[in-house]
Amino acid sequence: MPQFMDVHHGMKGITAEQLREAHKQDLAVEREEGVHFERAWADPESGTVYCLSAAPSADAVRRAHERAGHLTDEVHPVPLSI
Amino acid sequence: MPQFMDVHHGMKGITAEQLREAHKQDLAVEREEGVHFERAWADPESGTVYCLSAAPSADAVRRAHERAGHLTDEVHPVPLSI
């Protein structure tokens, strides 16, 4: 399945617990869109969160995040990886 | 060791082979800066490459990429991850 990297902004001060909770919310709804959220990385200082997912499309990633309450308009396909 | 996500732009049309080669060049010089480049993801269409590394500092990541000929000024610490 294609992979995607999406980026969330405005999460300044996010804690490890909040990141875990947000990821749990994503996992709870991802199947409805055929998405799997694999990894997430966060920078509390700049408020940036990166999520790596496998999904049928960028729109599916957007919809899954939206269902979980984590809107993002920055979803980048990453067909190549190492 | 702290983790970092860095972003390269302007890589439109990058191939799997070019991504592998670039990663190999990074690996060849990373020890000189105490960095380890763990993963890389690329989108040939937008020309964006994301690299995940473990490093003593963002500057060390910048210097390691520079030694390998892959300048980037976008290096984000990601102290939290899942």
Side-chain angles (χ1 to χ4, degrees):
Chain A
M1 198 144 59
Q3 282 195 305
F4 296 86
M5 183 75 79
D6 66 77
V7 188
H8 304 254
H9 301 282
M11 310 292 285
K12 273 193 188 178
I14 186 172
T15 65
E17 177 56 32
Q18 287 169 330
L19 182 65
R20 264 195 305 274
E21 186 54 36
H23 188 63
K24 225 168 82 179
Q25 291 162 352
D26 288 332
L27 294 182
V29 302
E30 64 178 16
R31 275 191 211 173
E32 296 163 44
E33 301 292 348
V35 173
H36 177 51
F37 289 101
E38 299 178 347
R39 301 282 311 270
W41 299 269
D43 176 17
E45 204 173 308
S46 68
T48 315
V49 178
Y50 302 85
C51 300
L52 181 71
S53 61
S57 69
D59 274 342
V61 176
R62 260 180 227 107
R63 285 194 304 265
H65 267 326
E66 191 176 353
R67 278 177 191 270
H70 310 136
L71 268 176
T72 176
D73 57 356
E74 229 191 279
V75 182
H76 308 280
V78 283
L80 307 180
S81 67
I82 285 173
Chain B
M1 197 144 59
Q3 282 195 305
F4 297 86
M5 183 75 80
D6 66 76
V7 189
H8 304 255
H9 301 281
M11 310 293 284
K12 273 192 188 179
I14 187 172
T15 64
E17 176 56 32
Q18 288 169 330
L19 182 65
R20 265 196 304 275
E21 187 55 35
H23 188 63
K24 225 168 82 179
Q25 291 163 351
D26 288 332
L27 295 182
V29 303
E30 65 179 14
R31 275 190 212 174
E32 297 163 44
E33 301 293 349
V35 174
H36 178 50
F37 289 101
E38 299 177 348
R39 301 282 312 270
W41 299 269
D43 176 17
E45 205 173 307
S46 68
T48 314
V49 178
Y50 303 84
C51 300
L52 181 72
S53 62
S57 69
D59 274 342
V61 176
R62 263 181 223 106
R63 286 194 303 266
H65 267 325
E66 190 175 353
R67 276 177 191 270
H70 310 136
L71 269 176
T72 177
D73 58 356
E74 228 190 279
V75 182
H76 309 279
V78 283
L80 307 181
S81 68
I82 284 172

